[in-house]
Amino acid sequence: MGQGYEDHLVTQEADIPEAKGLYTNDIQRLYKVASAIVHLSQQDLDLSTYIGQIASLKEQFLTVMPLTPDVGAQQTQLDKFFMVLTLIGLRPDLEPIRDQILGSSSVPSLDDVFARLLRGRSGTRGRGQRPHCTYCNKLGHTRDRCYQLHGRPPRTAHMAQSSDSPLPQPPSSFASQASIASVAQPGNASACLTHTSSLGPWILDSGASDHLSGNKDLFSSITTTSDLPTVTLANGSQTVAKGIGLALPLPSLPLTSVLYTPECPFNLISISKITRTLNCSITFSDKFVTLQDRSTGKTIGIGRESQGLYHLTSDSSPAVCISTDAPLLIHNRLGHPSLSKFQKMVPRFSTLSSLPCESCQLGKHTRVSFPKRLNNRAKSPFELVHTDVWGPCRTASTLGFQYFVTFIDDYSRCTWLFLMKNRAELFSIFQKFYTEIQTQFNISIRVLRSDNAREYFSAQFTSFMSHHGILHQSSCAHTPQQNGVAERKNRHLVETARTPPP
């Protein structure tokens, strides 16, 4: 038993330093160790192996959660541990959120993890899947948001039953904090919401069946007829609308058939009606609401959340819903627009003089064109020699040649051409060319300029160049312009061979 226990400990301790490289951060390692601790059981293992595993997990746990006398560090470690326990106990449908948290480059705090889980809860539900309450067995909410269990919270919008069934009476404590009103069509289907005592801006209401306003000054035109619908309040009382007309909360958002009811000191926009009349789509987030024209995709109105209600803002210009004040971060999220376009999209940065975005500078680089002529010709023969290999040719010559190599003197532009059957012959041909130059002209080649073909960098070629003191200049990758003399000479030779004289 003791021998098996010691062997197990040695093996695990040796593996711990190597395992550190398998994870991108300490949270992943802590998650792995804590998950193993939570799910550890003896089952069919013998007792020595089981005890060895416990001891090994203890050592691994102390590696990722070392003991420290610092109170602040202890609190941080405690938050990490409970964060990992939270992730371990998640349902399978929340695994994508858990993987995102574990894959974060920086370690999030416990409160950040809770917030991300709550935000991502709605996004993990599949299409057609609605949340289910285990208390009232109804769809559309969960137990922690069940009104039958917790009661309706104050200062929030809620739906009411139709007038065919009795309206529920709110608790006295709730009725004392806010007044409740509703608007109905002639069919008396009603919706209700809470409001504060002061008259605020237009409010988007998903339960209202008609637009409603108690402020006559907001109407562009108003008419009075005998056939006006009845407005039903949430407490069961009814009143007849005093007029119907047109209102313009925004220039791009005309509201038709708005009911005028002086008894109701607030302004409601019916979501169901505005989506039908304006053919628009409405997107809600935790802080903003956006109205977009479905045919053009243009934003026709925006709003902000305040005390549980979505108020339509008075700014009619298109705006970007942002939650940061860093201009560079906003610039990145908007797709790296130019400074002028960025200032039009986010007007509060109109005084910005520059936008030092490194990604724009690197991603929008273009290759600078090469000059047509350089005034740096060699001053003496064979001070600089250009060379390049051409081939293979699709049709071999009668003797089987498919390649040729050229050597051009930069001073005189005198050219030597040698035919080759394969590229491996280059070294032997260069040796013959070098010997010929020394014999005929009694001069040595100083610099050889070529591209990055492998045959110019073989071990034999490099050793020969070094032995004879020849400098080798090679062009940059994908830049044939730097070896332009040889490239242009090869083009001239090929064009001449393809168009022989008659």
Side-chain angles (χ1 to χ4, degrees):
M1 174 177 174
Q3 183 66 28
Y5 168 76
E6 294 175 355
D7 291 344
H8 192 82
L9 275 183
V10 171
T11 301
Q12 295 294 332
E13 289 176 352
D15 290 342
I16 290 174
E18 299 177 0
K20 292 182 179 179
L22 300 177
Y23 307 99
T24 58
N25 54 49
D26 291 339
I27 292 300
Q28 292 185 0
R29 298 183 62 234
L30 179 59
Y31 177 85
K32 191 72 175 179
V33 175
S35 180
I37 295 175
V38 171
H39 299 97
L40 180 64
S41 62
Q42 182 180 359
Q43 295 183 352
D44 298 332
L45 300 176
D46 58 88
L47 191 56
S48 61
T49 303
Y50 177 61
I51 296 176
Q53 288 185 357
I54 294 178
S56 174
L57 290 175
K58 176 185 176 183
E59 296 295 331
Q60 296 182 46
F61 184 79
L62 292 177
T63 302
V64 296
M65 297 282 287
L67 299 177
T68 174
D70 187 359
V71 178
Q74 291 178 7
Q75 183 63 39
T76 303
Q77 291 182 344
L78 188 64
D79 288 347
K80 285 184 181 180
F81 182 74
F82 277 93
M83 178 184 66
V84 168
L85 290 182
T86 303
L87 298 179
I88 292 175
L90 292 178
R91 297 194 310 267
D93 59 324
L94 294 175
E95 287 183 358
I97 304 177
R98 181 193 65 193
D99 296 340
Q100 292 177 3
I101 296 174
L102 291 177
S104 301
S105 57
S106 59
V107 179
S109 64
L110 183 61
D111 293 336
D112 291 340
V113 171
F114 290 163
R116 291 178 65 175
L117 290 174
L118 293 175
R119 286 198 307 266
R121 177 177 55 184
S122 59
T124 57
R125 297 168 185 155
R127 180 174 297 180
Q129 298 179 356
R130 302 182 62 191
H132 175 260
C133 177
T134 57
Y135 180 78
C136 65
N137 292 325
K138 292 182 180 180
L139 298 177
H141 64 276
T142 56
R143 183 184 180 93
D144 58 337
R145 294 178 177 269
C146 182
Y147 288 164
Q148 294 188 15
L149 178 61
H150 304 288
R152 292 187 181 274
R155 297 182 180 273
T156 57
H158 62 275
M159 296 295 297
Q161 301 175 359
S162 65
S163 59
D164 296 336
S165 58
L167 292 173
Q169 297 294 332
S172 57
S173 60
F174 174 56
S176 61
Q177 295 179 10
S179 57
I180 305 175
S182 66
V183 60
Q185 289 181 338
N188 284 339
S190 61
C192 61
L193 55 84
T194 66
H195 72 95
T196 58
S197 59
S198 62
L199 178 61
W202 290 89
I203 299 172
L204 294 166
D205 185 8
S206 61
S209 54
D210 261 302
H211 308 314
L212 174 69
S213 176
N215 188 352
K216 196 172 184 179
D217 296 335
L218 297 178
F219 287 82
S220 299
S221 62
I222 187 171
T223 58
T224 303
T225 62
S226 58
D227 188 16
L228 289 175
T230 301
V231 177
T232 304
L233 301 180
N235 58 7
S237 61
Q238 294 184 346
T239 181
V240 178
K242 299 301 187 292
I244 185 169
L246 174 67
L248 290 174
L250 300 174
S252 58
L253 203 68
L255 301 179
T256 59
S257 302
V258 182
L259 299 179
Y260 172 54
T261 53
E263 295 84 358
C264 300
F266 52 81
N267 315 304
L268 294 180
I269 297 178
S270 170
I271 291 180
S272 61
K273 191 167 185 177
I274 196 173
T275 53
R276 290 195 306 267
T277 56
L278 297 183
N279 189 29
C280 65
S281 61
I282 302 178
T283 305
F284 289 90
S285 63
D286 57 342
K287 295 294 182 182
F288 299 96
V289 59
T290 306
L291 292 81
Q292 285 184 307
D293 191 310
R294 297 180 59 185
S295 57
T296 63
K298 182 180 179 181
T299 300
I300 59 177
I302 60 172
R304 291 179 176 271
E305 185 271 340
S306 176
Q307 297 182 353
L309 302 178
Y310 287 88
H311 298 257
L312 190 67
T313 60
S314 59
D315 186 11
S316 59
S317 60
V320 181
C321 296
I322 53 178
S323 57
T324 178
D325 293 328
L328 189 59
L329 179 59
I330 302 173
H331 166 77
N332 295 341
R333 291 176 176 177
L334 293 178
H336 298 273
S338 63
L339 179 60
S340 59
K341 296 293 190 296
F342 176 70
Q343 290 174 338
K344 290 181 179 180
M345 300 173 73
V346 190
R348 59 192 176 96
F349 293 120
S350 57
T351 59
L352 204 63
S353 59
S354 63
L355 199 62
C357 179
E358 183 180 0
S359 299
C360 287
Q361 297 174 4
L362 297 177
K364 298 177 182 179
H365 271 181
T366 57
R367 184 188 290 265
V368 178
S369 60
F370 281 78
K372 295 183 178 180
R373 185 178 297 274
L374 296 176
N375 297 320
N376 55 354
R377 289 278 291 271
K379 302 299 188 296
S380 60
F382 303 104
E383 180 182 345
L384 172 63
V385 174
H386 304 271
T387 178
D388 189 37
V389 176
W390 183 91
C393 183
R394 288 179 295 180
T395 304
S397 67
T398 55
L399 297 180
F401 294 107
Q402 288 186 286
Y403 299 85
F404 69 80
V405 60
T406 52
F407 298 97
I408 305 107
D409 176 32
D410 187 71
Y411 176 77
S412 63
R413 288 297 196 267
C414 185
T415 303
W416 285 259
L417 185 145
F418 300 90
L419 299 177
M420 300 187 302
K421 293 183 179 180
N422 55 68
R423 290 177 175 268
E425 300 178 11
L426 175 64
F427 176 62
S428 60
I429 290 176
F430 180 70
Q431 285 180 309
K432 295 177 183 179
F433 172 70
Y434 181 80
T435 304
E436 179 182 348
I437 298 303
Q438 281 192 324
T439 304
Q440 298 298 329
F441 301 97
N442 194 25
I443 194 172
S444 297
I445 300 174
R446 297 183 182 180
V447 179
L448 182 71
R449 181 176 295 173
S450 69
D451 57 13
N452 287 286
R454 289 180 295 178
E455 51 268 18
Y456 287 106
F457 295 91
S458 64
Q460 292 177 330
F461 202 101
T462 303
S463 177
F464 182 85
M465 300 275 286
S466 176
H467 178 72
H468 292 86
I470 305 173
L471 298 180
H472 189 186
Q473 295 179 352
S474 60
S475 60
C476 296
H478 309 292
T479 313
Q481 295 90 339
Q482 293 181 340
N483 195 30
V485 173
E487 296 284 352
R488 186 64 182 89
K489 177 61 70 172
N490 287 355
R491 174 183 169 185
H492 168 71
L493 294 172
V494 172
E495 291 176 348
T496 303
R498 288 175 177 172
T499 54

